[in-house]
Amino acid sequence: MTGRDSCRGRRIVLAVFLLAGFAAVMGRLVHLQVLQAAELSVRADRQHQKAVTVEGIRGSIYDRRGKVLAMNMEVPSVFGVPASLDNPSGVARDLARVLRVRADEIEKKLRQERNFVWIARKVDPEQGRRLERLALDGIGTVMEGRRYYPKGALLSHVLGFAGMDGQGLEGIERRYDPYLRGEKRQIVLQRDALGRTVFPKGLTEQGPSAGHSVTLTIDEVIQYIAEKELDDAVTATQAKGGVVIVMEPKTGAVLAMAMSPRFDPNSVRGLSADRWRNRVVTDAYEPGSTMKIFLAAAALEEQAMKPRSLINAENGKMTIAGTVIHDHEKAKWITFAQAIERSSNVAAAKIAMVLGDECLFRYLRAFGFGERTEIDLPGEAAGLVKEPREWGRRTLASVAMGQEIGVTALQLASAVSAVANGGWLMRPYVVSEVRDGHGQLVAQVTPQVRRRPITAETSRTLGTILEGAVTAGTGSKAAVAGYRVAGKTGTAQKIDPETGAYSPALSVASFVGYVPADDPRLTIVAIVDEPRGEAWGGTVAAPIFRRVAEQALTYLGISSQEPMKVALAAHTEIGSGIGPGIRPEIRMVP
Amino acid sequence: MRLLAVLGIIGMLLLFVWERVDIVRVGYRIEQLKTQKVALQREQDELRVKVSALTAPERIAKAATEKLGMIPPQPGQVVMVRAVEPAPAVGDPSPEVHVAKNERFWRKP
């Protein structure tokens, strides 16, 4: 064999090896790209893509002037990976300092034989930043939405609260949960070899939509005024609690709905349902003499009585079905108007007898008692108005005095508003509009008439009588200087749960009314539950009405009298509203 | 001619590769900006919550009375003034306003 042959032979061997190598590579390529293509493609997608379920941010809740009452914020939740911790007790100590929880509790979690444990969910952003600076091994954070109620306990019973997973559990949060809740959507992210996100799959893919925002009819300032005055009264009288409602009588829009005691929806853990229940809509009580307003309305509407009709008040004492009815003031002959002004029980019983049970029942139902007002809040009670066939021998007189009947504070506010606005029973509401994440209007609530129980003439006549109840009757402490006030006091004895009879010590003091009487802008209901001492509606609840009305009227700029015409001096500046922008250099215009 | 064709093909290939690389680079940049946006959004939300808490009527009333020594206005101290559109007539430069008289709004503390 020559050297040339040997060289050629080596080239052939090399070529064969190379060809075999290429063939092997091509074969593998065909195997991977053709035969196993589908399976490998799925595996690659799994490694490069990450599908995550994302929920849009929960919508905010605003008051009627756009002040934030509830909103969501992304905050860190802290988790641990116990398997990757070398020194659980040291890490637990560091975490405890930042999170202000016991180190032994955290250590217990970190010593579990699990791959993942929650250490603290939805902590303050500042705590999250401190943890980030510590950079502890085996400890991480993920961002979650947390509900904040920046005004604390303000309006807590109406707002309600949302749970840990963002679901509405009480109040507006619950009723409007389908609107407030953000859209849930699964999105696919592309990851590189280091696990970094490159692009969402498909450039047009959008994130989930945020929840809608809800605007209330409530005004946070009037709400504050109502809560403060109620709290002061409850504290002063050592009462069990109380409620105040402020409503626009012409529309049914609720401006304030205050309850005492209050709670902070930011920390509801450990509180019982009794504490957060919205008692304005859920609890019915025997209203006492405030029901005489509707008795009077029925009597005037039926023309059974006129303001000057005379009634024998029997010197403040009358026996009905074996029980004696007493009056606070003894009198013989009084007019129908005086009977309401002085809150005579004897006269009320006699007026009811003139009307009859069927007629009185019909008017009570017409004013909305015994049925839900259909307010947009959860858990509303219908109250209790028995059918006349279920009435006992004393029931007619009892109902006339506000006993043997159960009404909610909201029903009372709604019914008094009907007296104030010319006879129209409006549907009360607390949400005025719903807007989507881009600010587009989704739903708008407009005032809704339910029915008309009385005519405008009866409304006017009754209004005059109710003004008398404030100027010359039991409600004198509700009078607001400079304004005409119409209203009625009520003092209802409560049933003693031990004896089952009316208790001489337990009572509910109330005042319901509206102002200005000649052009009603505010209906206010003030109820104090179990006040101690001089526990009359006129002494306990009427002053709440006055103080709330005084401040709310000023705040709303509702003037009591005919404006005085004046001209400003030439250099006077007009500010953005009332007050500092205006210099007091004014001169009278003839 | 052949050389030009080869150079053209190589150029096209390089352009294609550059484009792919640039897409990935822009993708990273977009993600970076998105992260930045989310962080700023969180900061904004945090500030909104703080502003809302600081402007709560209860806190303002407390600060006004306890820190600044303010008291509710006494009867007669609040005067409502409503500006009326100034008359277009020449010679009367003073705008008209309505002032409610004898207003008594606030109770004594």
Side-chain angles (χ1 to χ4, degrees):
Chain A
M1 191 181 277
T2 63
R4 183 179 288 178
D5 289 344
S6 160
C7 188
R8 190 163 170 248
R10 269 189 245 127
R11 276 209 299 266
I12 289 168
V13 170
L14 185 66
V16 167
F17 270 110
L18 280 174
L19 278 173
F22 271 120
V25 169
M26 288 305 290
R28 181 67 179 152
L29 208 58
V30 170
H31 183 248
L32 291 175
Q33 295 284 349
V34 180
L35 300 177
Q36 285 193 310
E39 185 196 331
L40 291 175
S41 170
V42 170
R43 199 192 296 179
D45 276 355
R46 223 169 23 231
Q47 287 171 358
H48 297 154
Q49 294 175 2
K50 186 170 76 169
V52 287
T53 303
V54 187
E55 188 168 349
I57 202 158
R58 190 173 174 83
S60 301
I61 303 177
Y62 301 99
D63 88 334
R64 70 203 294 253
R65 291 178 193 266
K67 306 280 176 156
V68 177
L69 298 171
M71 67 173 283
N72 256 43
M73 196 165 87
E74 293 248 294
V75 292
S77 284
V78 187
F79 65 89
V81 185
S84 66
L85 288 172
D86 298 326
N87 178 17
S89 54
V91 171
R93 272 199 304 278
D94 287 341
L95 284 172
R97 265 199 303 278
V98 177
L99 300 173
R100 291 187 216 104
V101 285
R102 288 164 58 114
D104 55 341
E105 282 176 14
I106 297 176
E107 193 179 337
K108 202 172 153 189
K109 287 180 183 174
L110 293 178
R111 288 197 182 279
Q112 291 176 39
E113 287 188 7
R114 289 166 65 180
N115 288 327
F116 179 94
V117 285
W118 282 119
I119 293 169
R121 288 188 70 186
K122 302 187 180 182
V123 300
D124 284 340
E126 184 50 38
Q127 290 176 320
R129 283 191 283 269
R130 284 179 66 190
L131 280 178
E132 219 167 273
R133 285 197 291 273
L134 283 176
L136 297 168
D137 279 340
I139 301 298
T141 57
V142 288
M143 301 305 281
E144 290 190 288
R146 175 173 155 181
R147 200 66 167 161
Y148 275 89
Y149 303 93
K151 313 288 181 186
L154 190 88
L155 196 67
S156 49
H157 292 90
V158 175
L159 291 175
F161 51 88
M164 184 59 90
D165 295 318
Q167 74 283 26
L169 295 178
E170 274 296 324
I172 294 286
E173 294 276 25
R174 180 171 161 188
R175 178 64 186 257
Y176 283 86
D177 193 54
Y179 288 106
L180 288 164
R181 199 171 258 255
E183 181 198 11
K184 259 188 185 173
R185 188 188 287 179
Q186 200 176 56
I187 60 169
V188 180
L189 305 170
Q190 295 277 55
R191 295 187 301 180
D192 65 8
L194 297 174
R196 292 175 300 182
T197 303
V198 185
F199 261 152
K201 195 177 186 182
L203 286 172
T204 54
E205 190 157 27
Q206 296 286 317
S209 308
H212 299 334
S213 65
V214 166
T215 302
L216 306 185
T217 58
I218 304 280
D219 189 301
E220 71 162 19
V221 174
I222 300 176
Q223 178 70 24
Y224 164 70
I225 293 166
E227 288 188 5
K228 183 184 173 296
E229 296 304 339
L230 177 64
D231 281 348
D232 287 353
V234 166
T235 307
T237 57
Q238 296 174 289
K240 191 176 163 190
V243 302
V244 168
I245 305 171
V246 183
M247 184 185 275
E248 281 181 354
K250 291 171 188 171
T251 62
V254 179
L255 297 175
M257 194 180 270
M259 269 148 274
S260 178
R262 296 182 287 158
F263 72 96
D264 186 351
N266 291 300
S267 51
V268 291
R269 191 181 273 185
L271 292 181
S272 66
D274 191 49
R275 191 70 187 276
W276 67 58
R277 196 176 70 239
N278 184 343
R279 292 186 296 280
V280 164
V281 297
T282 60
D283 289 15
Y285 78 110
E286 286 194 342
S289 296
T290 48
M291 285 311 281
K292 287 172 190 161
I293 296 174
F294 313 105
L295 173 78
L300 290 170
E301 186 71 20
E302 290 293 309
Q303 297 183 338
M305 292 280 163
K306 287 182 178 167
R308 286 168 176 264
S309 302
L310 284 172
I311 302 166
N312 185 351
E314 311 281 357
N315 271 327
K317 197 174 174 184
M318 188 169 76
T319 305
I320 295 176
T323 53
V324 182
I325 293 173
H326 291 282
D327 276 348
H328 188 55
E329 276 181 54
K330 287 179 184 173
K332 185 72 178 164
W333 287 96
I334 54 175
T335 63
F336 172 77
Q338 286 169 330
I340 304 301
E341 287 167 13
R342 298 178 191 178
S343 200
S344 165
N345 292 329
V346 172
K350 288 194 170 183
I351 296 165
M353 284 171 195
V354 172
L355 288 173
D357 47 10
E358 288 288 349
C359 179
L360 182 58
F361 173 78
R362 203 173 68 243
Y363 274 92
L364 292 177
R365 292 305 299 259
F367 273 107
F369 298 110
E371 65 176 13
R372 292 182 181 87
T373 64
E374 295 170 23
I375 192 170
D376 44 349
L377 284 170
E380 190 186 10
L384 179 67
V385 181
K386 288 189 283 188
E387 297 276 340
R389 57 185 152 78
E390 300 172 79
W391 289 15
R393 284 166 59 211
R394 210 200 110 137
T395 306
L396 183 61
S398 295
V399 170
M401 298 185 294
Q403 293 179 339
E404 292 192 48
I405 181 173
V407 308
T408 64
L410 186 67
Q411 285 174 335
L412 208 50
S414 178
V416 171
S417 292
V419 173
N421 68 18
W424 302 97
L425 186 73
M426 308 299 293
R427 185 180 79 89
Y429 62 102
V430 289
V431 168
S432 60
E433 61 181 37
V434 178
R435 287 181 183 272
D436 68 13
H438 305 289
Q440 295 296 312
L441 199 63
V442 174
Q444 192 167 29
V445 181
T446 48
Q448 197 183 328
V449 176
R450 295 172 70 201
R451 65 183 81 95
R452 190 174 198 183
I454 54 171
T455 59
E457 193 186 339
T458 301
S459 161
R460 273 194 300 276
T461 311
L462 186 52
T464 309
I465 294 171
L466 294 177
E467 273 191 72
V470 174
T471 53
T474 53
S476 58
K477 288 189 176 171
V480 181
Y483 294 86
R484 287 168 61 185
V485 174
K488 180 79 191 74
T489 57
T491 311
Q493 287 176 299
K494 285 182 82 174
I495 303 277
D496 189 329
E498 287 180 12
T499 61
Y502 284 110
S503 162
L506 305 177
S507 65
V508 177
S510 54
F511 186 89
V512 298
Y514 51 91
V515 63
D518 45 335
D519 179 22
R521 300 285 297 276
L522 301 174
T523 293
I524 303 174
V525 171
I527 300 168
V528 180
D529 189 17
E530 295 184 20
R532 291 190 186 174
E534 206 180 341
W536 298 99
T539 55
V540 175
I544 301 177
F545 176 97
R546 176 176 60 80
R547 289 194 291 266
V548 172
E550 279 174 343
Q551 295 169 67
L553 288 166
T554 307
Y555 169 71
L556 294 171
I558 298 169
S559 177
S560 61
Q561 294 166 8
E562 194 60 32
M564 185 170 61
K565 262 191 171 182
V566 296
L568 292 172
H571 65 276
T572 301
E573 297 165 4
I574 305 288
S576 58
I578 304 160
I582 297 169
R583 294 184 197 167
E585 291 172 49
I586 48 183
R587 60 185 167 82
M588 299 294 293
V589 173
Chain B
M1 192 67 191
R2 192 177 291 172
L3 183 68
L4 274 176
V6 170
L7 285 174
I9 289 167
I10 292 171
M12 292 289 281
L13 282 171
L14 285 174
L15 192 70
F16 176 74
V17 171
W18 174 82
E19 188 193 53
R20 300 303 302 176
V21 170
D22 206 46
I23 285 172
V24 173
R25 191 182 60 78
V26 170
Y28 281 127
R29 180 72 185 138
I30 288 171
E31 282 307 313
Q32 200 183 356
L33 289 171
K34 272 185 180 172
T35 311
Q36 205 176 332
K37 184 188 162 195
V38 168
L40 289 170
Q41 182 71 52
R42 279 182 194 141
E43 196 181 333
Q44 190 194 32
D45 287 346
E46 205 176 322
L47 291 171
R48 278 181 71 203
V49 168
K50 274 186 189 166
V51 167
S52 185
L54 291 172
T55 54
E58 192 168 357
R59 185 188 163 275
I60 290 174
K62 200 174 170 188
T65 52
E66 292 177 10
K67 282 189 185 168
L68 304 173
M70 296 170 88
I71 55 164
Q74 303 302 299
Q77 286 185 320
V78 175
V79 178
M80 284 191 203
V81 181
R82 287 195 192 90
V84 175
E85 283 291 311
V90 185
D92 183 10
S94 306
E96 267 192 326
V97 295
H98 287 185
V99 177
K101 58 184 174 185
N102 302 326
E103 296 285 7
R104 299 182 69 215
F105 299 109
W106 295 82
R107 69 194 170 93
K108 288 181 182 173

